[in-house]
Amino acid sequence: MHVIILGAPGSGKGTQSAEIIKHFSLKHLSTGDMLRAEITAGTELGIAAKTVMDKGELVSDDIILGMVAEQIKSTDKGILFDGFPRTIAQAEGLDELLSEMDSEIAHVIELEVNNDEIIERMLARGREDDNEETIRNRLEVFENQTAPLIEYYSNQSKVSTVLGSGSVDDIFSRIEKVLSA
Ligand code: ADP
């Protein structure tokens, strides 16, 4: 079973992903974590990605799809995609990669959190790209480039919207219901 967790930056995708992979024994694939690992390792890709990430913009679809393809091909477990896809081009690329393996996305979990709560959470988290200006840009990028994926996957009847506020356990039990159905 392959699952996508979709939500604005700061909506709690990473926190819920940790719970989901434990309970459903999926492999966690976070493109944000992969990019941060490249930055830490000081690779050429990491150096280029950092400039883009610090501005709150998106790393190019080609780079992202290349990284993801490598990961998909190296596992036969179900995958939880976190922070990916983020553009229609990435979603189409993912559909193509999976269909080459006679596979497809089973569920898309949309985590819904209001913008005030998101900004509050991100400022509290304090990651390097969590300053007010970058946050504002990331929310705008989300609205413009990533929110259209809801319609893309709704057309495939795969979206379940889950309220992303409350305790970690409350939110997880909402997600668990969807994935167990
Ligand atoms: P958040 O959910 O808070 O945005 P992520 O770790 O998912 O955190 O992403 C951090 C940054 O990494 C993004 O703002 C973007 O610059 C880059 N990034 C992560 N995933 C992708 C992706 N699939 N496509 C393009 N850029 C990405």
Side-chain angles (χ1 to χ4, degrees):
M1 174 174 78
H2 300 305
V3 177
I4 294 171
I5 184 160
L6 194 76
S11 59
K13 298 185 299 286
T15 305
Q16 290 302 322
S17 291
E19 299 294 318
I20 296 168
I21 57 160
K22 248 195 311 195
H23 287 77
F24 293 91
S25 61
L26 300 175
K27 176 191 162 77
H28 187 196
L29 191 157
S30 159
T31 44
D33 287 352
M34 287 161 68
L35 291 168
R36 283 184 288 274
E38 297 282 342
I39 292 174
T40 304
T43 65
E44 214 168 296
L45 193 161
I47 292 164
K50 188 174 189 313
T51 318
V52 177
M53 290 165 78
D54 284 345
K55 286 190 270 187
E57 278 156 25
L58 295 183
V59 174
S60 81
D61 292 331
D62 285 351
I63 288 180
I64 297 288
L65 280 167
M67 291 194 328
V68 169
E70 217 175 287
Q71 292 288 314
I72 292 179
K73 285 171 186 156
S74 70
T75 184
D76 42 19
K77 266 181 124 181
I79 301 173
L80 174 67
F81 295 97
D82 163 10
F84 170 88
R86 250 177 161 92
T87 62
I88 295 284
Q90 290 180 18
E92 288 171 347
L94 176 61
D95 275 352
E96 205 170 298
L97 282 168
L98 292 177
S99 81
E100 281 166 16
M101 304 172 76
D102 280 319
S103 190
E104 63 170 327
I105 295 296
H107 296 281
V108 177
I109 305 282
E110 179 196 11
L111 264 187
E112 203 176 48
V113 182
N114 73 53
N115 270 6
D116 288 347
E117 191 165 339
I118 280 177
I119 291 169
E120 209 172 291
R121 284 185 191 180
M122 290 210 277
L123 289 174
R125 181 169 74 177
R127 211 169 63 195
E128 203 183 327
D129 56 345
D130 286 341
N131 59 73
E132 239 177 302
E133 198 183 317
T134 305
I135 291 173
R136 220 185 307 276
N137 197 25
R138 279 151 69 204
L139 289 173
E140 206 175 297
V141 167
F142 176 79
E143 281 309 321
N144 294 334
Q145 307 209 51
T146 309
L149 296 183
I150 303 295
E151 198 193 332
Y152 179 89
Y153 287 111
S154 291
N155 291 336
Q156 302 181 10
S157 305
K158 288 178 177 165
V159 179
S160 303
T161 304
V162 165
L163 181 65
S165 53
S167 72
V168 172
D169 287 351
D170 285 346
I171 300 164
F172 177 66
S173 58
R174 292 175 201 137
I175 294 174
E176 195 177 19
K177 274 195 201 111
V178 172
L179 296 183
S180 308

